[in-house]
Amino acid sequence: MENMDEAVLKELAEKGEIANSLEFMKAHKFEPKTFDGILKSLLVDNYVVLTNHDLEEIDLTEEGAKAIASGSPEFRLVSMFKPGEEKTRADLAKLMAKDELQIAVNKAMQNKWISSSKTAVKRVAEDVKDEVVQRLTAMKADNDPKKHEAKLVQELKKRKLIAIKKIKFYGIVKGASYQPKRVPEVADLTAEMLSKGTWEGVKFKKFNVAAKGKEISTGNYHPLYQMKDEFRSILLELGFEEMPTSYYVDSSFWDFDALYTAQQHPARDMQDTFFLTEPANCNRIPKELCENVKRAHEGGSYGSIGYRYDWKMDEAKKNVMRTHTTPCSARMLYELAQTTAKTGVFTPKKYFSIDRVFRNEATDVTHLFEFHQVEGMIADYNLSLKNLMGIIAEFFKRLGISDIKFKPAYNPYTEPSMEIFGYNQELKRIVEIGNSGIFRPEMLQALGLPEKVSVIAWGLSLERPAMIHYKVGNIRDLIGHQVPLKFMKTNPVFCLP
Ligand code: PHE
């Protein structure tokens, strides 16, 4: 096979230019893709300069080719009549296929070749000439649409007898580094070239710094987890320690009872909570703690009158998918109380966690039955609501949310309780971003903490700020099995302001 580089360079040496790359390619029987590659590489090395051209060509359709071979439908129809002859419509239907017959009758009428009534068709013209075929033949002979009357081209195109094809080609002239023969470029400088001095005569390939690297297919860190890491660093910087949270299944005792949530509380309904069927119950609840919690609920201890009902162990034993991470905080406080009792010394603590929680609720674009909760708490003497508001403001300030507002709220385990609101730039309105409060003495003292110790705490979802940050309108695009892989692969590394 003829060398493509050489053929192009030789033609340029002889004629100065190649006006139409396509014709040149056809004349030399070059394969289009390879030839295009060769042209691009000659262009990159400045051997040639390419100019883009567009060209339109008439292409006969299958229908058009058929017409040339056996006549246009109208001509074939009329040819089946003698001049003056009449045929009924029923007879006509036997002559041609329905679609074709309709076109043929319409066109023959337009040409005044036939006249038609409701029931019959009559040939009225003596001589008929198949002009459509004449035109198609002319277009086949010269397929440049500009050489034919535009109206005729349009008409035949409309009848789908021809199509207009767009052809792209190049004009080729010599480039700044043109040479009649291509000097092969060498990619690597070798020790031999250096020792023999042959490097001097060699043309080296230029580095193509604009070349795209190979796409690397790797695992990607999920954007939600990038956000989790950012939250984590902020809390670590603020001096919080991470709590263990790695149990998704917990007893109702820790999820509700230890958090001073009455056994009739609506949150403990099947509508809101996933209860486990296997194993349905937990049998590892500390006995003494159980007694304390029972007393707190029923009343008459820790300076409280309680809820005044019969607390039932059976209810507390029921296993659930944890509905929040606050039971993890309760376990930590219980541990802290035990250490305090053992050592006689209470050590103030700041704890946080970020992990998954589960709720049995209807899903929509902002709700899923599993999501992440960010939980924080501080246990110390003399903590007030002011301390709680202060630490929350500082935490959100570091997240880039400065204008936060508090609204009184209710939680069974905190008093006072406050919902936290922040201004969302995207939505241009205030949205709820968290919940907080001071843990009730009924809860803390049942866990065994010294009377004077207070615990301030707050919790928020990880998904809500993440949706705002990544501009994700549907929570299912952020977490769960429907997350598009592209979202993970193309997301820039998340950085807080
Ligand atoms: N557990 C609460 C929730 O699920 C958050 C919270 C944590 C509220 C700690 C107050 C104190 O929304």
Side-chain angles (χ1 to χ4, degrees), residues 259 323-327 329 359 373-376 411 413-414 417-418 434-439 456-460:
L259 295 171
T323 60
H324 49 177
T325 40
T326 316
S329 302
R359 294 206 185 152
Q373 231 175 29
V374 185
E375 179 104 9
N411 293 313
Y413 39 91
T414 51
S417 310
M418 298 179 300
N435 187 358
S436 67
I438 301 181
F439 282 141
I456 55 178
W458 78 98
L460 62 134

Side-chain angles (χ1 to χ4, degrees), residues 230-262:
E230 291 288 335
F231 275 56
R232 221 174 145 253
S233 337
I234 291 173
L235 287 156
L236 289 170
E237 278 164 22
L238 287 170
F240 284 76
E241 279 173 62
E242 194 158 8
M243 296 185 258
T245 50
S246 51
Y247 36 88
Y248 292 166
V249 173
D250 210 342
S251 59
S252 291
F253 178 81
W254 283 108
D255 202 83
F256 299 119
D257 296 283
L259 295 171
Y260 197 55
T261 303

Side-chain angles (χ1 to χ4, degrees), residues 282-307:
C282 160
N283 52 16
R284 280 188 299 180
I285 303 168
K287 216 169 168 212
E288 192 192 340
L289 176 59
C290 235
E291 291 301 316
N292 294 350
V293 168
K294 178 179 159 77
R295 233 177 307 122
H297 280 239
E298 291 183 346
S301 55
Y302 315 122
S304 161
I305 59 165
Y307 293 121

